[in-house]
Amino acid sequence: MSRQTVSGVSEVRNVLKTTFSICPECNMVIPAEIVERSGKIFLEKECPIHGEVVEVYYGDAEIYKRFSKYSHDGKGTGSTNINIVGYSCPANCGLCPGHLSHTALANLVVTNRCDLYCWYCFFFAERAGYVYEPSIEQIREMVRVLRREYPVAGNSIQLTGGEPTLRDDLPEIIKVIKEEGVDHVQLNTNGIRLSYDFEFFKKVKEAGVSNLYLSFDGVTSRTNPKNHWEAPKVIENARKLEVGIVLVPTIIRGVNDHELGDIIRFGFKNIDVIRSVNFQPVSLTGRLTSKEREKYRITIPDCIIKIEEQTNGEISRDAWFPVPACTPLTHIIEALVKSPKYELSTHFACGAGTYVFKDGDKLVPITQFIDIDGLIKYLQDRAEEIESGKSKLITAAKILWDFGKYINVDKQPQGVNVKRMIYEMIIKHDYKSVGDWHRKSLFIGMMHFQDKYNYDVERVMRCGIHYLMPDGRIIPFCAFNVIPEWYRDRVQRLYGIPIEEWEKKTGKSVKQYYRRVLEDKS
């Protein structure tokens, strides 16, 4: 611990841990420190060529420290595609033997074309100069690589882009993925085509899509010019087809961070269709000054605190847990069935979440009626008992008898039997039991993807969201998108075709952007 002076004010500087990062200018892998000061967490690093960068890493030190207690090393994957001894993360991803998490969700880019032109977007065809659209055969092989992962085979895919619905063969793509044994197929979309082309949406549903990952940046046209007018129709069509929706707001300081509470309330108004709201604090791509970054930067704790304020304290900061907090539930199921199971061992700083129930006019987070910390510790202790040789049957019976003491039935929302739902998940541990839980509650989540300024290599090594690539590699999200010149752009350019060639071949233009026609009511 040391003391330094910033802008004439003396403050305590406490180094919490050391890690590695990258230089935003040259991508050199350099040492970095995670530092606490002024009630916040910063990442500090210095490139020998381009100098020092100090970036806000987590907007609240107390939340960071609480979340850090749930850190967990995952089981990784035995089917590494890059067999390198002395790997240097993130310079040779693919996955490598040093990766600590199996693929929890595989992103599969089906096109880099889009019908919108969002200023904060990662990438699209016109900027790239080529069109990347893998063939059905290439997609099938990428899925097969995912399915060969062990000890836990990949079983969840998100189709992404660009805008996936621009591919007319999207239903066929979904069918191929289902044929290869993937249970969960999520469609990442702006929803525009699904709002006006019901028959296409129906074909997507019949092909086997599990749910929509719908971009939704706010409840007003000012905060969500992207699809404000189309979103209600997407929801209406999804309701008719019984397709669940996850709302995905990209949160930018000073742009839409005042509507977080309203977005959650919108989700509850449509809870028969909307299963979750997954906030994504913006990843600041491109070259930005520290002043520009400060203007737009918002972190997970910043969002959590704003939600507390915008829900009048109903969803408090204490209601949130980091992603790896749920690993004890995996461990107890693994101990009971004696086989590896799906595990969320993502870095504790990557994401957070909570379940919220509606009780009349009130929003009731799960922590109001369940002692989550106590239950988590209890399940982990029982898992360790089984691993040490104690009877599975006796321990399982003990769990079913005991876990109710962590639930305050007097405070649970009316019409909700939480004890029964948890029992179903522990005993059946299948998609239906998890789905039953989701139909009674709204999951509020956050995932903050990195950029070159706040890049923490330790987070990359624990990443559970990976991209499938046609060259056979599987790349962690924050390597694929944050260093596109190494991964995304290099491989997609190799497997893509120049725009002019694609336009001549298809008779289409990559500049066919969506233009809405609004009725003039003046």
Side-chain angles (χ1 to χ4, degrees), residues 439-452:
R439 280 183 282 274
K440 296 288 187 178
S441 65
L442 194 67
F443 177 74
I444 314 296
M446 287 184 201
M447 184 61 66
H448 192 176
F449 298 114
Q450 301 185 93
D451 50 59
K452 292 188 177 184

Side-chain angles (χ1 to χ4, degrees), residues 40-55:
K40 298 181 180 181
I41 304 297
F42 294 84
L43 185 144
E44 300 180 358
K45 56 188 175 181
E46 185 170 4
C47 173
I49 301 172
H50 298 102
E52 184 181 39
V53 173
V54 176
E55 190 69 12

Side-chain angles (χ1 to χ4, degrees), residues 31-273:
E33 292 180 331
I34 306 296
V35 176
E36 176 190 2
R37 54 183 171 83
S38 302
K40 298 181 180 181
I41 304 297
F42 294 84
L43 185 144
E44 300 180 358
K45 56 188 175 181
E46 185 170 4
C47 173
I49 301 172
H50 298 102
E52 184 181 39
V53 173
V54 176
E55 190 69 12
V56 176
Y57 183 90
Y58 235 55
D60 185 272
E62 290 306 313
I63 294 177
Y64 175 90
K65 290 176 181 178
R66 181 167 72 87
F67 282 7
S68 68
K69 297 176 183 177
Y70 297 93
S71 182
H72 172 71
D73 287 344
K75 55 179 62 72
T77 174
S79 52
T80 53
N81 301 87
I82 304 295
N83 295 311
I84 295 176
V85 177
Y87 47 83
S88 178
C89 184
N92 42 27
C93 284
L95 296 165
C96 81
H99 202 76
L100 297 172
S101 300
H102 68 80
T103 303
L105 175 66
N107 282 358
L108 202 165
V109 178
V110 297
T111 182
N112 67 337
R113 291 187 294 133
C114 190
D115 48 0
L116 294 179
Y117 203 99
C118 303
W119 65 273
Y120 59 77
C121 183
F122 281 126
F123 66 99
F124 54 90
E126 188 178 348
R127 282 183 182 169
Y130 57 86
V131 173
Y132 169 77
E133 292 188 349
S135 67
I136 296 291
E137 293 74 20
Q138 287 172 324
I139 289 171
R140 186 184 293 276
E141 185 52 41
M142 283 189 272
V143 176
R144 286 177 175 174
V145 171
L146 175 70
R147 296 293 292 157
R148 288 195 291 267
E149 272 197 30
Y150 69 90
V152 178
N155 195 32
S156 183
I157 286 180
Q158 181 183 107
L159 298 176
T160 186
E163 173 50 48
T165 60
L166 293 185
R167 285 194 63 159
D168 294 330
D169 61 350
L170 182 61
E172 185 180 351
I173 291 172
I174 296 169
K175 287 178 183 177
V176 163
I177 294 171
K178 299 292 286 187
E179 287 171 3
E180 294 300 323
V182 173
D183 287 327
H184 187 81
V185 182
Q186 185 176 69
L187 177 59
N188 186 351
T189 179
N190 59 35
I192 287 174
R193 182 172 182 178
L194 304 182
S195 72
Y196 66 78
D197 192 342
F198 183 81
E199 288 305 312
F200 181 77
F201 196 168
K202 185 178 179 181
K203 290 178 182 177
V204 167
K205 162 65 187 301
E206 291 172 346
V209 77
S210 303
N211 61 4
L212 303 184
Y213 203 64
L214 180 67
S215 179
F216 187 85
D217 289 345
V219 297
T220 63
S221 58
R222 182 168 185 172
T223 54
N224 186 26
K226 182 189 300 181
N227 61 0
H228 172 75
W229 296 271
E230 293 77 19
K233 188 63 177 177
V234 179
I235 293 171
E236 179 185 335
N237 288 345
R239 183 175 284 117
K240 291 176 182 177
L241 293 170
E242 297 183 341
V243 175
I245 294 175
V246 178
L247 297 181
V248 189
T250 298
I251 304 303
I252 305 171
R253 182 181 294 279
V255 176
N256 62 346
D257 57 329
H258 60 290
E259 290 190 2
L260 306 187
D262 288 336
I263 293 171
I264 292 171
R265 283 184 274 270
F266 179 87
F268 269 107
K269 286 180 182 177
N270 297 278
I271 197 171
D272 62 314
V273 177

Side-chain angles (χ1 to χ4, degrees), residues 176-412:
V176 163
I177 294 171
K178 299 292 286 187
E179 287 171 3
E180 294 300 323
V182 173
D183 287 327
H184 187 81
V185 182
Q186 185 176 69
L187 177 59
N188 186 351
T189 179
N190 59 35
I192 287 174
R193 182 172 182 178
L194 304 182
S195 72
Y196 66 78
D197 192 342
F198 183 81
E199 288 305 312
F200 181 77
F201 196 168
K202 185 178 179 181
K203 290 178 182 177
V204 167
K205 162 65 187 301
E206 291 172 346
V209 77
S210 303
N211 61 4
L212 303 184
Y213 203 64
L214 180 67
S215 179
F216 187 85
D217 289 345
V219 297
T220 63
S221 58
R222 182 168 185 172
T223 54
N224 186 26
K226 182 189 300 181
N227 61 0
H228 172 75
W229 296 271
E230 293 77 19
K233 188 63 177 177
V234 179
I235 293 171
E236 179 185 335
N237 288 345
R239 183 175 284 117
K240 291 176 182 177
L241 293 170
E242 297 183 341
V243 175
I245 294 175
V246 178
L247 297 181
V248 189
T250 298
I251 304 303
I252 305 171
R253 182 181 294 279
V255 176
N256 62 346
D257 57 329
H258 60 290
E259 290 190 2
L260 306 187
D262 288 336
I263 293 171
I264 292 171
R265 283 184 274 270
F266 179 87
F268 269 107
K269 286 180 182 177
N270 297 278
I271 197 171
D272 62 314
V273 177
I274 294 172
R275 305 283 181 253
S276 170
V277 179
N278 191 26
F279 295 103
Q280 294 186 352
V282 68
S283 175
L284 299 175
T285 59
R287 293 184 177 181
L288 298 172
T289 65
S290 60
K291 193 171 184 179
E292 289 171 324
R293 300 199 305 273
E294 185 177 347
K295 177 181 178 181
Y296 296 120
R297 173 74 74 200
I298 191 166
T299 69
I300 286 174
D302 300 324
C303 292
I304 286 174
I305 292 169
K306 284 181 178 291
I307 287 173
E308 181 179 62
E309 296 167 351
Q310 294 170 26
T311 60
N312 298 316
E314 289 182 344
I315 307 177
S316 71
R317 68 191 71 188
D318 296 330
W320 297 80
F321 289 83
V323 173
C326 61
T327 54
L329 183 58
T330 297
H331 298 162
I332 193 65
I333 294 171
E334 288 179 335
L336 289 170
V337 302
K338 291 295 183 183
S339 66
K341 295 297 178 182
Y342 181 94
E343 180 182 50
L344 291 172
S345 54
T346 309
H347 191 280
F348 67 86
C350 289
T354 188
Y355 282 95
V356 179
F357 294 75
K358 195 79 157 53
D359 193 5
D361 294 330
K362 292 184 178 179
L363 301 178
V364 183
I366 193 173
T367 48
Q368 290 286 318
F369 52 90
I370 298 182
D371 175 7
I372 297 294
D373 274 323
L375 183 58
I376 286 172
K377 185 179 186 307
Y378 176 81
L379 291 175
Q380 186 60 47
D381 289 345
R382 299 294 80 75
E384 291 172 3
E385 279 185 7
I386 297 173
E387 291 298 323
S388 69
K390 288 198 175 182
S391 167
K392 290 193 296 181
L393 290 177
I394 293 175
T395 304
K398 187 177 180 181
I399 291 170
L400 296 177
W401 179 263
D402 283 347
F403 78 79
K405 68 184 181 183
Y406 297 98
I407 301 170
N408 188 331
V409 295
D410 294 331
K411 290 187 177 182
Q412 68 182 3

